[in-house]
Every structure is written in C-alpha cells, then in structure tokens.
Amino acid sequence: VTGLDATPNGTSGQRSASVRRSNLTTILTSLHLDGAASRSDLVARTGLTRGAIGVLVGELVDRGLVVEDPAVPDGNPGRPSPTARPHHADNVVLAMNVLVDSIAVAAVGLGGTMLAVERVERPRARRPLDETVGQLVALTDAVTASLRGSCTVHAVGVAVAGIVRGSDNMLITAPNLGQEPVGALIRDALGRDVPVEVANEGDLGALGESRRGIGREVTDLVYVSGEVGVGGGIISDGRRLTGPHGFAGEVGHVPVNPDGIPCNCGAVGCWETEVGEDALLRRAGRDPALGPAAIESMIVAAQRGDSDACSALDLHGRWIGIGLAGLVNVFTPSLVVLGGLFQRVHPFVAEAVDRELRARTLAPAHEGVTVAPSALGVDASLIGAAELAWEPVLGDPGALPFRRGALR
Amino acid sequence: VTGLDATPNGTSGQRSASVRRSNLTTILTSLHLDGAASRSDLVARTGLTRGAIGVLVGELVDRGLVVEDPAVPDGNPGRPSPTARPHHADNVVLAMNVLVDSIAVAAVGLGGTMLAVERVERPRARRPLDETVGQLVALTDAVTASLRGSCTVHAVGVAVAGIVRGSDNMLITAPNLGQEPVGALIRDALGRDVPVEVANEGDLGALGESRRGIGREVTDLVYVSGEVGVGGGIISDGRRLTGPHGFAGEVGHVPVNPDGIPCNCGAVGCWETEVGEDALLRRAGRDPALGPAAIESMIVAAQRGDSDACSALDLHGRWIGIGLAGLVNVFTPSLVVLGGLFQRVHPFVAEAVDRELRARTLAPAHEGVTVAPSALGVDASLIGAAELAWEPVLGDPGALPFRRGALR
C-alpha cells in the first residue's frame, strides 16, 4: 500500500488548470474588492504562498490587469514587497441603470473606481425601448470620451426596473409580458463587441450594497427599494439569489393584505400596494399623480410637525415593517437595506418599522437584524451593474490576452 | 517569458491535498446519491479520468466506504469494469425526527438505504425534553439491534419542530425562548462518541425531498409542512437556505393577514394562523382540540361531498395559495412540495391553491412552478436528518481511518 496519502496519480494534474484559474480569480478578486496589497497582505488575505502569489501577480501584470508599484524599504528585514493594485485606468466596464425617474451610465474601473458617470432625470412616461437605448448610447459617448486610448472596455452591465430572464437577458415587460432582447439591442446600438449582461434593478441594488455599500461586512442581506413599484434583491450566504430563471426576489408582489388594494400586476394586496409611492401620497391626502415632488413637499410638512404627514408616514412605516417581517422570518438576514423611497422616508418610518419587526418576527431573527438606509442611494444598482459586468473577468482572468508592451 | 501557461510553481502542489479531498468527495457523493456505478459510469458522472477514478475508488474501498463487485464481461472490447457501490451495511448514520404527533429513529446506510426504522405515535402534550430524549434512546436501541458488528455509526442527525441555532445545535424553544443543548443531551444519552447534528424539521424536510424525494431533479424548491404550526425549508440553487444563524425559513410566521388572528408566537396574522390545523377545524365548525382525528373525519365528510367540509377546505386552499404566492414571487422555485397536513388535504385544496398562485404570482414565476404533495410523507425530515448526518463523511472521506482487513 503506497501513495495513498499522496496525491493519487492523475487527480492533481488534470485539475491543475482549474486550480491555476481559481488562484488567479482569488488574487484578482481580492485586489478588486479589498484594494491594493503587498505580497504579505495577499498571503494573509488568500492563504496562498508568497512564491505562488509572485507568479500569479506576474501573470495578472502581463495581462494588463494589475500594476505593481515599486517596493519601498520599510525597515523590516527581507526584501521589501511591491504593492499590487488593480489597473483601473486601463480596465473598465460600462454600468447602466434605467430607473423610473432617471437613467445613468458610468465607466467603472477595475477595483470599483468610478471614472465617469452621467445621469439624467426623465419625466415619467411610457416610452418605446428604442428611445431609452438611444439615451444610453448618448450617455455612453459622454462617459467614454475621457477614457484613455489604451483602455479596454471589458463588458457592459445593465440594471433595469423589470423582470429579466437570466438565460438570455430577455426583458419580460409587465404588464403585457411582451419580451424584448434588451441586452442585444444595447450591444448593437453601442457598436461594441462586448458582452452585455442585464439584470433586475433590485437584484443589482442588493449586489451593489453587498460589494461596495453598507453590506460589505455581511453575508446575508435583503435590499428593498421603493419607487412607484417596489423592487428588491437578496444576498444569501454571500451569493445573489436569482432563482433558476433569473427573476427571483420580486418582493413587491408578496401578498400582505389579500383583500386590500388592487395592484398593477393584476393581483390584490401586494406589498407594493401598501408601501409604494401612490400608497404614501394617498395616505397623506395628496394626489398620487404628483409623484416625487409631492413626496418632497410631504416630507417638508412632516419636518414641520404636520400631523397628517406624520401619521401617514407612521402608517406607511407600519406596512413597510409588515412586509419586512415576512422577509426577515424567511431569510434571517443580518442587514436590511432600505433604498429609493424607503431611504428617503427612513427617518420618519424607522420607529414604526422597528415596532412591526419586533412584533412580527421570531425573537432570534429580530435580534440578529439591523435595518439601515442605503449607502449608495440612486447609484446602488448602477454600482451593482458594474459588479455584474466584472464577474466574467474575475472568473477567468487568464482568458484575457497578453497586452502588447505589457510582457516583462 | 516561460511557464505562464503552465501551472505556476507552487500553486498546484499546495492545493493538491484539497484537490484529492474534493475528488474523493465527488466520487463518494455520486455513489451515495446516484447509486452503484461502473468506472465508465463514474467517468461520465464526474468528468474525472478512468485512471484517477481507479485510484480514488481504491482508497474508498480501503477506508471501508465502498465495495466493488467483480467485473462481468459485457461483450465490449477492453477490460470489463467492476461496479462500485456504497458499503451500506457497514456504514450507517442514525436519523431522528421529533414531530408534534410522533417520534422516530432510523438507521440509514450509506447510499440512503433505510436499514431499520421505528416510529411511535405520541399524544400531544408538553413534555420535559428528558422524556423525549429517553424515548429516542429506546428507539435507537431497537433500530441498532439488527446492525452487524462490523458496522460503523458515523453520526446522528436530528430533525426537531423548533428553532435550532446552527453554530451550537442549541434548540431555542418557543414561546419562552429558553435554550436547550439538544445535540449534547442526545449524544450523552446515547453514550456514543459521534457527532450529533440538529436542525429544524422543515429545513430537513426540504433536504430530504431534494435528495431522496420528489425534488431530486430540481435545484430550487420550497417545502412547506402543516401540523399544528407550519414549518418549511428552502433549497436554493441546490443548497439548503439556513441563513447566517441557522434558523432561516420560518415561513409559518410570514404575515399574510396583519389584522387577523393572534398567533402563538405573539404576532397577529401569521400564515400559520390561516393554514394551521386549528384554522381548518375552525372553518369547518369543528373543535380544534380534537386534532388529527377531527381532520380525518372532516376529510371523510368532504369525500362524501359534505358542503361545509368542502367549502372549509376550499377556503383553506385559498390561504395556502396566498402564502405560497409570496414564497413563489421571492424564490421562483421549480417545485413547491406540500408536506404534513398540506399533503393530507392536497386533493381538496389543489384547485384553490392554483387559483391563488395564478392570480398572485408574476406570470413567469407561475409558469415555472409545479405544486406537488410530498413523496416521503412523515419520513421527509427523517430522511433529511440522515442526509445532514452524512455531510461531514461525504465532505472528507479521506479523514476516516483505514479499516482492519480492508487494506488490499
């Protein structure tokens, strides 16, 4: 009996390519998410050996993804270690978000650096998809004008307020459920031969807050965002919950008041009928058609102590809390992030939300959860779209070509 | 520039131990879940080479986990391949479930073979935990009596109707939220030096159906089970959703009727207030204190066409559907499995459940989901408990000792 405790013949070699890929991913992801690092830092972060890290960082440098700053003697014995950092100026993704009230495009460098961003407000209206795609192209021209010539645009990530099928980036438009190949439309309009990944705005808001926002330290969070409708996304055990088809996380249509108010989706008493913008304005005796301007004037009134505004907000908080209680019992997240309208009204609803959560969630779940407003605001899903676009690059950095002039 | 496309020095070697462990896990898990296999079958199932598989299976044989049946010439060219199968008679876990109406212990062999099972009904009553532990020990003595002397009991898995903290197997008992170290109590009472893993009954029901029941072919399922209360569990992308503390999936306490009926948990209008056993008996004008016997007599009445019983069941189905609609919008599972009371009444509520799901879930989520009764019935969480107990063995088969007499 020999060799049983050593690596069985053939079982290591055949997976060495995947081990190397996995190690490149580990290093590049660490630099991307946690920032510049010396070799000693990378040893501590990844558990790989110093020698392996040297070789792997060298390959990432040769592929133009990482730059090493010269080592500075630090007074400690041994050869000082150069600092590796993501080469953000030469490696970019385009991030887009299409919200109900605005539309934005950003150029985001490797490591998360926002190199340029353009956002325009749009009055609410039903628009042909062509018009939106045209605006995205114009905004893209503006953000890419400042990028340097050596820059590679690796991919495009798009966050849309709608249901997106994961397998083919098909936007399934409510309420008539027509289907639009929005990813292909954007790629063709941009005239760039790069992958375009599309996902739901709520899912990418959750991803943005998890990677770059208030959720960086937690593995389990629920992101909920109010506008006219209510979107959301879930990070569970560090992973985006997408469901088998890509459209999980439709928290706005969880029934909370089954004999209540008809919803745009055709059902009755969905959470968004109680916590969307219309519901809040109706509760305050204001015209829902006035939209965000009416919300702002109501908030001013509440700040002055207007009792109608305050009680409308408190009741709104009650219903926010009721819906959240269900999600907290199901997911027991460490963090609930409030975005959009929920972020705007947070100071006025926090007490009611907490009251309902305490009453309606099992004690261990309630003890483990914090509710907090978004750190990234309207950019949450834009930043999440950038992270979505980076995923294939981070997943296989060795698939990228060597850069001319980058070879050592 | 040399060696950049080869494995960088040191990056393969340092992970070879983990690659070997991962390959052993792959082979043993395949035999455990998908059954006996020739080497050719294993090549197809795992993507590993035939040579590697020979070495890995050899190690599993030496550790007593796998037996190889002699090769039978099959008329094809080349050396015929022996068939490897899990050595179920010599490798066993104990599975236990503690339900409201019954308690069971099983000896489950590697590969899922149920070698022995003992279940006893118990009248409903609050009992000291000691009494339950004593019954589990007595049932264990009965199921282990028939095991052969060479058999190793690797671990114990326990499903309990209660909230279980994952980090320390602590049962957090509602409603007073005392804490009981149920895993340690059972281990001490058994007098066996084996790991005891405890989890919530609904979570393990989901695991059981996913690995051995109606959910074998899907990656995303929601399991919901009615008794007095309502439990559930979620499999998302093939993984058990536990949340960061181990007690996610408390679907019974999602608010569905916030101004409705007070719940045992202290809240109002939790799903279980509308779909638990009490609610059904109340709707049918029967005494909730009569419990399962009254449910059975009501079902007999419905089978005869009794209109009170039928309309109570239809209304019950409506509320089952309302709660499921929220879960389907959030998880977009391929399958919803109905266990316990929901399984019992399934023929009488299926139409109402489907009606509510169609009305209250977004069309793409509704199109992708099937609702079906449990395949495993009262044993779902017992079988899930066995799978929980197998996880450490499957995760690191190479950590087990060589068996005397097993060395080739």
Side-chain angles (χ1 to χ4, degrees), chain A residues 1 3-17 19-20 22-23 26 46-49 51-53 55-56 58-59 62-63 163 172 177 219-220 234 236-237 239 241-251 253-259 265-270 318-319 321-323 325-334 359-365 367-369 398 402 407-408, chain B residues 1 3-17 19-20 22-23 26 46-49 51-53 55-56 58-59 62-63 163 172 177 219-220 234 236-237 239 241-251 253-259 265-270 318-319 321-323 325-334 359-365 367-369 398 402 407-408:
Chain A
V1 182
L4 283 168
D5 283 324
T7 305
N9 292 336
T11 62
S12 172
Q14 77 176 116
R15 291 215 175 164
S16 67
V19 169
R20 171 174 146 276
S22 150
N23 288 346
T26 300
T46 68
L48 295 167
T49 63
I53 285 167
V55 175
L56 293 160
E59 174 164 355
D62 290 336
R63 294 193 194 270
I163 300 174
I172 298 174
L177 297 169
T219 57
D220 293 73
I234 288 110
S236 169
D237 200 15
R239 298 147 54 103
L241 184 103
T242 60
H245 319 291
F247 38 75
E250 284 293 337
V251 298
H253 299 282
V254 172
V256 294
N257 193 8
D259 297 313
C265 78
V268 172
C270 298
R318 173 176 187 252
W319 283 100
I322 287 169
L327 295 170
V328 169
N329 278 323
V330 169
F331 290 104
T332 64
S334 308
R360 295 178 186 277
T361 55
L362 298 181
E367 284 158 16
V369 71
F402 292 103
L407 291 180
R408 291 172 302 173
Chain B
V1 183
L4 284 170
D5 283 323
T7 304
N9 290 334
T11 63
S12 172
Q14 78 176 116
R15 291 215 175 165
S16 67
V19 169
R20 171 175 148 276
S22 150
N23 288 345
T26 300
T46 67
L48 294 167
T49 63
I53 285 168
V55 175
L56 293 161
E59 175 163 352
D62 289 337
R63 294 191 194 273
I163 301 174
I172 298 174
L177 298 168
T219 57
D220 292 73
I234 289 113
S236 170
D237 198 16
R239 297 147 53 103
L241 184 102
T242 60
H245 318 291
F247 38 75
E250 283 294 335
V251 300
H253 299 283
V254 172
V256 294
N257 193 7
D259 297 312
C265 78
V268 172
C270 298
R318 174 176 187 252
W319 282 101
I322 287 170
L327 295 170
V328 169
N329 279 322
V330 168
F331 290 105
T332 64
S334 308
R360 296 178 185 276
T361 56
L362 298 180
E367 285 158 16
V369 71
F402 292 103
L407 290 181
R408 293 172 303 173

Side-chain angles (χ1 to χ4, degrees), chain B residues 151-214:
Chain B
C151 178
T152 299
V153 175
H154 291 274
V156 180
V158 187
V160 296
I163 301 174
V164 180
R165 189 160 63 205
S167 56
D168 55 4
N169 285 326
M170 194 71 82
L171 176 65
I172 298 174
T173 53
N176 58 2
L177 298 168
Q179 301 188 358
E180 298 276 5
V182 63
L185 290 173
I186 291 172
R187 190 182 59 237
D188 292 349
L190 289 174
R192 287 173 184 268
D193 184 23
V194 292
V196 179
E197 285 293 323
V198 187
N200 171 266
E201 186 264 322
D203 290 346
L204 293 181
L207 184 65
E209 293 289 348
S210 162
R211 295 270 176 84
R212 303 281 174 194
I214 196 171

